[in-house]
Amino acid sequence: MLEIVCQHTNDFIQQMPKALRKKYGQFFTSIETARFMASLFDLPDKNELHILDPGAGSGILSIALLENIFKEDDAVTVHLTCYENDPNIQPLLLSNLELASQIFGSNFHYELERENYILSQSDVFNSILFTEQISKKYDLIIGNPPYMKIPKEAPEACAMKNVCYGAPNLYFLFTSMSIFNMEEDGELVYIIPRSWTSGAYFQRFREYLLHETRILHIHLFVSRDEVFKEESVLQETMIIKLKKTKTSPDEIVISTTQSSKDFQDISKFPVPYSIVVSSKKSYIYLPTDKEEVKSLSILNQFGNTLLDLGLKMKTGLIVDFRTRELLRDKEEEHAVPLIYSQHIRDGRVRFPVGKGSEYIVTDKIAFLQRNKNYLFLKRFTAKEEHRRLQCGIYLKRYLPNCTYISTQNKVNFIDGIQEISECLVYGLYVLYNSTLYDMYYRILNGSTQVNSTEMNEIPVPSLSIIEKMGKELMKTKNLSEAHCDEILNSYI
């Protein structure tokens, strides 16, 4: 039956403009992904099961789960609730549910809710209605929620303020509401972007998820462009399995495949729950082998962060395309050097390099920073590059005639409450140019952007140890990754 549903879905995709589907954040699940997601459930020993598919689309995920359930127990009674408010796909969904009803017979019952999943129960979610109206609870919830950013004033965002920060994405609002809809000991399997696992933007959502449920399984795709290949989606994607319980498992299973087409060749790796779920900031770490687990364990022994040491990583000040009238190609009176990522070369900041817009003329204090010692890091790197953390030492004596410099916003820099010494800059370089810290950040954040908020939360040694490492590096002037590894390892 699933093959039939998927064929009908492909026909729908071919005749429905992508722009119209994008309006609803629709990206349809492949048959291989649907079968894998359905297989992750541990079916409860009940005579009746209540299932929810909150963004049902054409019903691919529901049908995959139904096939699994009735294959295991053809006597069980299943009640399926599908939410879908896109009128374009509702007829196809209804047709597929009717087909399921014919095949599975009197043991299968369904409801099609044509309303907005979030808004339909926002009052109950926020405990506004003190009446007999309560939220329906489900044993199993499966979903591929809409992926679409909405304004912070959107009705859905206002309905779920306790998990929102800024302009939210519908996918984590759907996940939050589904967690609310879970029966005690119920299970949820969702396919969602990886972006929620770290950073301040998703902090409230992570806290809610980890308070209400426990993570049992995370599946990662090595190739990010294969999961929704027909849709040109390049977002890092994961499949997550949650259970509504307060009891944490000893381990979380982290599995990987190259793409959504080869679930037969799956690699599974059990990781201690305490390694994956960090108590600090509720970050979710995603190691996939023993070496990565070891890296997390080593760095998590350090008791400080940059903020604890009076240091802070910040993002560059200038958005160059918004300040074109202030930029200059060559040095002139009152012009200030403007540092770009292109100036970070071979472990140092080298200025100038003879490219355009290397200077800025401004008296706006928000666009200027003191000419001090800094460690610079590129904010963006290519997915294929060897290192995510690419840093360069900057010393104020590099530009001795400058009182001020400025920074383009595609670089980050580490500043201090007090001026940073040269040996401290070198010591910070040892940390962030090491294999260990680069691996740690890759485990924490799957994107190619180096987020200053996350960097400020990564464990670091004490100030005195960082300075000692810096002095060792200053003696040799060998800025290679291998030499930084050697210095760092001697202090672990």
PDB file of all heavy atoms in Angstrom, residues 69 148 235 237 278 305 342 364 402 407 450 461 485:
ATOM      1  N   ILE A  69       2.243  -1.781  12.226  1.00  0.00           N
ATOM      2  CA  ILE A  69       1.402  -2.181  13.361  1.00  0.00           C
ATOM      3  C   ILE A  69       0.582  -3.421  13.030  1.00  0.00           C
ATOM      4  O   ILE A  69       0.576  -4.415  13.784  1.00  0.00           O
ATOM      5  CB  ILE A  69       0.470  -1.016  13.777  1.00  0.00           C
ATOM      6  CG1 ILE A  69       1.287   0.124  14.396  1.00  0.00           C
ATOM      7  CG2 ILE A  69      -0.602  -1.500  14.757  1.00  0.00           C
ATOM      8  CD1 ILE A  69       0.487   1.386  14.639  1.00  0.00           C
ATOM      9  N   MET A 148       9.402  25.989   8.130  1.00  0.00           N
ATOM     10  CA  MET A 148       9.156  27.334   7.626  1.00  0.00           C
ATOM     11  C   MET A 148       9.290  28.344   8.772  1.00  0.00           C
ATOM     12  O   MET A 148       8.686  28.181   9.832  1.00  0.00           O
ATOM     13  CB  MET A 148       7.755  27.422   7.018  1.00  0.00           C
ATOM     14  CG  MET A 148       7.438  28.765   6.391  1.00  0.00           C
ATOM     15  SD  MET A 148       5.889  28.700   5.443  1.00  0.00           S
ATOM     16  CE  MET A 148       4.702  28.357   6.756  1.00  0.00           C
ATOM     17  N   GLN A 235      19.420  21.748   4.358  1.00  0.00           N
ATOM     18  CA  GLN A 235      19.451  21.816   5.812  1.00  0.00           C
ATOM     19  C   GLN A 235      19.912  20.474   6.386  1.00  0.00           C
ATOM     20  O   GLN A 235      19.502  19.413   5.920  1.00  0.00           O
ATOM     21  CB  GLN A 235      18.047  22.148   6.325  1.00  0.00           C
ATOM     22  CG  GLN A 235      17.870  22.130   7.824  1.00  0.00           C
ATOM     23  CD  GLN A 235      18.597  23.246   8.524  1.00  0.00           C
ATOM     24  OE1 GLN A 235      19.570  23.009   9.223  1.00  0.00           O
ATOM     25  NE2 GLN A 235      18.141  24.460   8.340  1.00  0.00           N
ATOM     26  N   THR A 237      19.653  17.428   8.519  1.00  0.00           N
ATOM     27  CA  THR A 237      18.409  16.797   8.963  1.00  0.00           C
ATOM     28  C   THR A 237      18.696  15.596   9.851  1.00  0.00           C
ATOM     29  O   THR A 237      19.695  14.915   9.676  1.00  0.00           O
ATOM     30  CB  THR A 237      17.587  16.346   7.747  1.00  0.00           C
ATOM     31  OG1 THR A 237      17.479  17.434   6.827  1.00  0.00           O
ATOM     32  CG2 THR A 237      16.197  15.910   8.147  1.00  0.00           C
ATOM     33  N   SER A 278      23.784  17.629  27.511  1.00  0.00           N
ATOM     34  CA  SER A 278      24.568  18.435  28.433  1.00  0.00           C
ATOM     35  C   SER A 278      23.644  19.171  29.388  1.00  0.00           C
ATOM     36  O   SER A 278      22.661  19.789  28.968  1.00  0.00           O
ATOM     37  CB  SER A 278      25.410  19.454  27.646  1.00  0.00           C
ATOM     38  OG  SER A 278      25.956  20.430  28.495  1.00  0.00           O
ATOM     39  N   THR A 305      34.482  28.566  31.209  1.00  0.00           N
ATOM     40  CA  THR A 305      34.167  29.005  29.854  1.00  0.00           C
ATOM     41  C   THR A 305      34.891  30.327  29.637  1.00  0.00           C
ATOM     42  O   THR A 305      35.451  30.904  30.584  1.00  0.00           O
ATOM     43  CB  THR A 305      32.658  29.218  29.645  1.00  0.00           C
ATOM     44  OG1 THR A 305      32.223  30.291  30.502  1.00  0.00           O
ATOM     45  CG2 THR A 305      31.870  27.955  29.972  1.00  0.00           C
ATOM     46  N   GLN A 342      39.271  37.107   4.952  1.00  0.00           N
ATOM     47  CA  GLN A 342      40.363  36.931   3.993  1.00  0.00           C
ATOM     48  C   GLN A 342      41.718  37.334   4.568  1.00  0.00           C
ATOM     49  O   GLN A 342      42.765  36.933   4.053  1.00  0.00           O
ATOM     50  CB  GLN A 342      40.090  37.762   2.731  1.00  0.00           C
ATOM     51  CG  GLN A 342      40.145  39.274   2.966  1.00  0.00           C
ATOM     52  CD  GLN A 342      39.403  40.054   1.898  1.00  0.00           C
ATOM     53  OE1 GLN A 342      38.403  39.578   1.354  1.00  0.00           O
ATOM     54  NE2 GLN A 342      39.879  41.247   1.590  1.00  0.00           N
ATOM     55  N   LYS A 364      31.477  56.806  13.900  1.00  0.00           N
ATOM     56  CA  LYS A 364      30.450  56.124  14.692  1.00  0.00           C
ATOM     57  C   LYS A 364      31.119  55.121  15.614  1.00  0.00           C
ATOM     58  O   LYS A 364      31.749  54.162  15.156  1.00  0.00           O
ATOM     59  CB  LYS A 364      29.454  55.436  13.761  1.00  0.00           C
ATOM     60  CG  LYS A 364      28.213  54.908  14.465  1.00  0.00           C
ATOM     61  CD  LYS A 364      27.197  54.392  13.455  1.00  0.00           C
ATOM     62  CE  LYS A 364      25.935  53.885  14.157  1.00  0.00           C
ATOM     63  NZ  LYS A 364      24.945  53.396  13.181  1.00  0.00           N
ATOM     64  N   CYS A 402      47.725  52.707  14.472  1.00  0.00           N
ATOM     65  CA  CYS A 402      46.253  52.752  14.537  1.00  0.00           C
ATOM     66  C   CYS A 402      45.762  52.759  15.989  1.00  0.00           C
ATOM     67  O   CYS A 402      46.149  51.901  16.783  1.00  0.00           O
ATOM     68  CB  CYS A 402      45.647  51.560  13.802  1.00  0.00           C
ATOM     69  SG  CYS A 402      45.990  51.527  12.042  1.00  0.00           S
ATOM     70  N   THR A 407      35.918  45.518  12.214  1.00  0.00           N
ATOM     71  CA  THR A 407      35.808  44.115  11.820  1.00  0.00           C
ATOM     72  C   THR A 407      34.533  43.877  11.028  1.00  0.00           C
ATOM     73  O   THR A 407      33.455  44.350  11.409  1.00  0.00           O
ATOM     74  CB  THR A 407      35.805  43.200  13.059  1.00  0.00           C
ATOM     75  OG1 THR A 407      34.912  43.751  14.050  1.00  0.00           O
ATOM     76  CG2 THR A 407      37.183  43.081  13.655  1.00  0.00           C
ATOM     77  N   VAL A 450      30.366  29.423  12.568  1.00  0.00           N
ATOM     78  CA  VAL A 450      30.893  29.397  13.934  1.00  0.00           C
ATOM     79  C   VAL A 450      30.119  30.423  14.750  1.00  0.00           C
ATOM     80  O   VAL A 450      30.244  31.627  14.553  1.00  0.00           O
ATOM     81  CB  VAL A 450      32.405  29.702  13.960  1.00  0.00           C
ATOM     82  CG1 VAL A 450      32.911  29.745  15.394  1.00  0.00           C
ATOM     83  CG2 VAL A 450      33.159  28.643  13.168  1.00  0.00           C
ATOM     84  N   PRO A 461      40.375  25.492  29.731  1.00  0.00           N
ATOM     85  CA  PRO A 461      41.198  25.411  30.954  1.00  0.00           C
ATOM     86  C   PRO A 461      41.231  26.760  31.683  1.00  0.00           C
ATOM     87  O   PRO A 461      40.659  27.752  31.228  1.00  0.00           O
ATOM     88  CB  PRO A 461      42.584  25.044  30.416  1.00  0.00           C
ATOM     89  CG  PRO A 461      42.382  24.611  29.009  1.00  0.00           C
ATOM     90  CD  PRO A 461      41.169  25.314  28.516  1.00  0.00           C
ATOM     91  N   ASP A 485      48.215  20.590  18.914  1.00  0.00           N
ATOM     92  CA  ASP A 485      47.760  19.336  19.527  1.00  0.00           C
ATOM     93  C   ASP A 485      48.787  18.858  20.566  1.00  0.00           C
ATOM     94  O   ASP A 485      48.416  18.422  21.670  1.00  0.00           O
ATOM     95  CB  ASP A 485      47.585  18.245  18.466  1.00  0.00           C
ATOM     96  CG  ASP A 485      46.385  18.494  17.574  1.00  0.00           C
ATOM     97  OD1 ASP A 485      45.525  19.310  17.941  1.00  0.00           O
ATOM     98  OD2 ASP A 485      46.303  17.850  16.493  1.00  0.00           O
TER      99      ASP A 485
END
